[in-house]
Amino acid sequence: MNALRLSELTTTAVGGPAAKVVRAETEEELLAAVTAADDAGEHVLLVGGGSNILASDAPYEGTVVHVASRGVVVAEAEDGAVLVEVAAGHPWDDAVRETVARGLAGLETLAGIPGTAGATPVQNVGAYGAEVSQTIESVRTWDRTERRECTFTAGELAFSYRDSALKRSMTAGSPRHVVLAVTFRLLRQEESLPVRYAQLATALGVEVGETAPAALVRETVLRLRASKGMVLDPADRDTCSTGSFFTNPVVSHEELTDRIPADAPRYPVLDARGHELPGAVKFSAAWLIDHAGFGKGFGLPGTRNELLDLDGESVAGGRASLSTKHTLAMTNRGGASGEDVAAVARTVQRGVAEVSGVVLVPEPVLVGLSL
């Protein structure tokens, strides 16, 4: 029997054969699979929706645990809020849709993000001015080092932009803490939380800081994401990616140089609860990529970066490219290898550094690859 390939489990559809793949549909199966692999001294790679992994085509010599647990449990909190516990393998967008349908506000701006609920606190997933850190109550995990279950509060997870204590404890893409379930503190109301993102506010016809019906916010976010190729669609090669490949760079005031153009869009850096942090500014990675001469579709036949005198097709033979809708996504145009996709990302990363002096940081977990 042919070994299952990581390309079958990831949204970029790249990755080599795995020595062993175990599908865990319950929390008990997840714990058993991870414990068995640890007992055998095997490397462990957790895969949920596969939307945050870019893997090489070399064989993965370890155990891949496909996290497919399901379940949403809703409970009323004493202070009137609503606590929603979501199983680690539950599809994230399904969880968002269900909470909005139940008349709960807090997750509506995070609609359409691929992957599973268990991955959201690790990366502190966010979009359109919101991050999961702003609504997470706690995360229940299995500590592979101490061999015990432990629960972290939001404060203990030390969230920051696209980062958390869970992520910082990972080694070569393998976590110390296996997420079992995530609990969110939501509000029972039809109106959304205040809209923080200007593009979303404009699309909704409200001012930044105002609210709108949560269901309408969710629908609008899905429409905006789809226009950028950020909602999975098997018929659209622009969605064959990890989504936004690079995080928006955060630069301290001391590190600011005149190599970053004065007209580069700048945004405040927020803490886990959405309060502005002093001393640093966040830049748009997409803007910096475009400013460095990388247009939409770079990598396809006929594309060039005139600023840096680069032929697009020569990077990966046209098999991988920037999305034709959004310069932050590295896409598999069909038949690409993991190295093809990494080559496009590496070219962009080096080009941005050459032009602006900013080194973009990749968002997905790289398995057997480097930039």
Side-chain angles (χ1 to χ4, degrees):
M1 181 181 294
N2 292 331
L4 189 70
R5 298 181 66 87
L6 283 170
S7 60
E8 300 174 63
L9 299 175
T10 58
T11 55
T12 308
V14 297
K20 183 190 297 183
V21 178
V22 180
R23 180 178 170 87
E25 297 187 355
T26 67
E27 187 174 302
E28 293 72 23
E29 290 176 355
L30 174 56
L31 288 172
V34 171
T35 301
D38 285 342
D39 288 343
E42 299 168 347
H43 294 292
V44 175
L45 178 66
L46 298 184
V47 179
S51 60
N52 201 44
I53 292 175
L54 181 65
S56 79
D57 287 69
Y60 181 76
E61 302 296 345
T63 295
V64 174
V65 180
H66 186 197
V67 185
S69 52
R70 299 287 190 275
V72 176
V73 178
V74 179
E76 301 289 336
E78 292 183 0
D79 61 359
V82 180
L83 300 180
V84 180
E85 183 184 75
V86 187
H90 202 90
W92 174 248
D93 191 47
D94 288 357
V96 175
R97 182 176 63 246
E98 182 169 343
T99 60
V100 172
R102 287 173 177 261
L104 303 177
L107 302 181
E108 58 279 352
T109 3
L110 303 174
I113 296 175
T116 54
T120 61
V122 178
Q123 194 76 4
N124 189 15
V125 164
Y128 295 101
E131 295 177 337
V132 291
S133 60
Q134 294 160 8
T135 51
I136 283 180
E137 173 78 2
S138 62
V139 178
R140 192 160 50 82
T141 73
W142 173 256
D143 185 332
R144 293 168 61 199
T145 300
E146 298 187 4
R147 298 293 185 102
R148 67 181 180 89
E149 187 176 309
C150 57
T151 298
F152 294 96
T153 64
E156 291 169 332
L157 289 170
F159 287 116
S160 59
Y161 174 65
R162 299 297 176 271
D163 199 12
S164 70
L166 297 174
K167 183 177 179 180
R168 291 189 290 274
S169 71
M170 295 177 72
T171 302
S174 189
R176 170 179 171 172
H177 299 280
V178 177
V179 175
L180 304 176
V182 186
T183 298
F184 298 89
R185 175 176 288 269
L186 306 180
L187 300 177
R188 188 174 294 286
Q189 60 185 46
E190 297 297 327
E191 285 290 297
S192 70
L193 297 187
V195 176
R196 292 191 174 101
Y197 199 78
Q199 183 188 33
L200 177 58
T202 298
L204 289 164
V206 301
E207 296 294 325
V208 171
E210 294 182 344
T211 65
L216 177 61
V217 171
R218 175 180 172 272
E219 294 168 4
T220 304
V221 167
L222 288 173
R223 177 169 53 81
L224 289 172
R225 290 184 64 87
S227 71
K228 301 174 183 178
M230 293 295 186
V231 175
L232 293 177
D233 178 356
D236 184 355
R237 298 306 301 185
D238 279 333
T239 72
C240 195
S241 74
T242 60
S244 296
F245 193 91
F246 295 108
T247 59
N248 290 322
V250 174
V251 180
S252 69
H253 290 167
E254 292 77 15
E255 296 173 318
L256 288 175
T257 71
D258 56 8
R259 293 180 65 186
I260 303 176
D263 60 343
R266 301 169 188 231
Y267 306 96
V269 180
L270 307 178
D271 66 13
R273 291 302 176 186
H275 302 127
E276 186 171 344
L277 294 172
V281 64
K282 183 164 60 179
F283 291 92
S284 164
W287 190 93
L288 292 173
I289 290 169
D290 185 69
H291 180 75
F294 297 100
K296 297 173 184 176
F298 176 82
L300 293 173
T303 59
R304 284 190 62 79
N305 181 325
E306 298 293 350
L307 181 65
L308 298 175
D309 192 26
L310 296 173
D311 175 71
E313 187 178 7
S314 67
V315 177
R319 297 179 297 275
S321 76
L322 297 186
S323 165
T324 64
K325 301 182 182 72
H326 197 290
T327 56
L328 260 183
M330 312 293 142
T331 66
N332 177 356
R333 309 314 296 188
S337 66
E339 178 54 36
D340 286 334
V341 179
V344 175
R346 188 179 305 119
T347 301
V348 169
Q349 184 189 55
R350 292 175 179 175
V352 169
E354 181 178 342
V355 173
S356 68
V358 175
V359 178
L360 297 179
V361 176
E363 192 165 330
V365 174
L366 304 181
V367 180
L369 295 167
S370 61
L371 298 189

